Amino acid sequence: AESLDAVDRCGRYLEQLDAFSEGRVRWFRFPHLDRGADPNARAVLAAELRDRGYRVAGCSLDSFDYAYEGPLAMAALCAEPERERQVLERYAQTSTKILRFHLAASRKLLERDPAHSLLFHFGAATSHKLGNLLREWGARGARFCSLEEAVDDPLHREFDADYQRQGLFSPQTTDRRIVSRLRRRFFGTLQSSS
């Protein structure tokens, strides 16, 4: 009930800003990608969101951009431009590694190239680097599509995300050892980027 109250308050605010005018889709992304504690809670939340006209925006790749906000803010606060540059460069390198790693992993697991939905936040790291990242990824062959096209991919239709699994893989994935190994490598990459 508390979550739905927050959704309603935020929805009223967005309506005042004409966020849903001109036929725009009412997208909803679960905070922390957490869809609920158990299957029943997830089903209730999904139904309530549908009743409110929202479409859930799944996430198959997390940029972990928020992990760089603290170090970036500290470098700025300490007036250390070289340190700021290093943090931003590490963020860009890690984001590209994450993308390449998960594209290869999803090809191996799903035997095709799914349409991924990337998670970014409105923060300093992303605002500094997102344009460059998109250009670089495009130059490396990435094809960009609308969020609607991405979440229509079977990867997202099969999606039953929960926070513990980070929602990065479909429940149809059969080899859990591969998923576990991918998660360890994925988080290892993040942890090594102090």
Side-chain angles (χ1 to χ4, degrees):
E2 187 178 339
S3 295
L4 292 170
D5 180 58
V7 168
D8 291 338
R9 283 185 285 115
C10 188
R12 286 191 296 273
Y13 177 71
L14 290 170
E15 284 169 0
Q16 291 172 5
L17 298 174
D18 291 328
F20 306 125
S21 63
E22 300 173 18
R24 291 188 187 106
V25 177
R26 295 174 72 103
W27 289 108
F28 183 87
R29 180 164 277 158
F30 284 93
H32 308 287
L33 307 180
D34 187 351
R35 295 184 179 216
D38 56 57
N40 289 337
R42 289 194 285 273
V44 167
L45 278 171
E48 291 288 343
L49 288 168
R50 273 193 308 274
D51 289 348
R52 286 163 170 77
Y54 286 98
R55 182 159 184 205
V56 172
C59 170
S60 55
L61 290 175
D62 189 344
S63 71
F64 286 95
D65 53 358
Y66 53 85
Y68 296 87
E69 293 302 323
L72 188 58
M74 185 59 70
L77 184 66
C78 295
E80 296 178 343
E82 178 56 22
R83 190 166 150 209
E84 282 184 76
R85 188 197 65 74
Q86 289 173 347
V87 171
L88 288 168
E89 190 56 34
R90 177 60 66 92
Y91 164 59
Q93 290 172 357
T94 303
S95 294
T96 297
K97 286 179 184 177
I98 287 169
L99 179 69
R100 287 184 7 224
F101 175 76
H102 278 281
L103 290 177
S106 61
R107 284 179 190 138
K108 183 174 182 178
L109 291 167
L110 303 172
E111 299 178 343
R112 66 183 183 85
D113 282 322
H116 283 285
S117 170
L118 281 71
L119 176 61
F120 289 100
H121 298 84
F122 292 108
T126 296
S127 68
H128 278 85
K129 285 295 189 179
L130 185 59
N132 291 339
L133 287 172
L134 294 177
R135 279 188 292 278
E136 179 186 340
W137 297 346
R140 290 176 181 233
R143 183 181 73 81
F144 300 102
C145 63
S146 69
L147 180 58
E148 193 154 11
E149 184 181 341
V151 299
D152 280 342
D153 187 279
L155 172 72
H156 297 277
R157 287 199 308 267
E158 296 165 356
F159 196 47
D160 183 31
D162 62 28
Y163 183 66
Q164 185 178 13
R165 286 190 297 108
Q166 293 294 314
L168 298 175
F169 292 95
S170 159
Q172 303 302 317
T173 300
T174 55
D175 192 339
R176 297 295 176 200
R177 291 167 303 169
I178 292 174
V179 173
S180 178
R181 192 163 58 244
L182 293 177
R183 286 183 63 223
R184 279 198 304 276
R185 282 187 56 192
F186 187 39
F187 288 107
T189 300
L190 177 65
Q191 289 164 357
S192 68
S193 60
S194 56

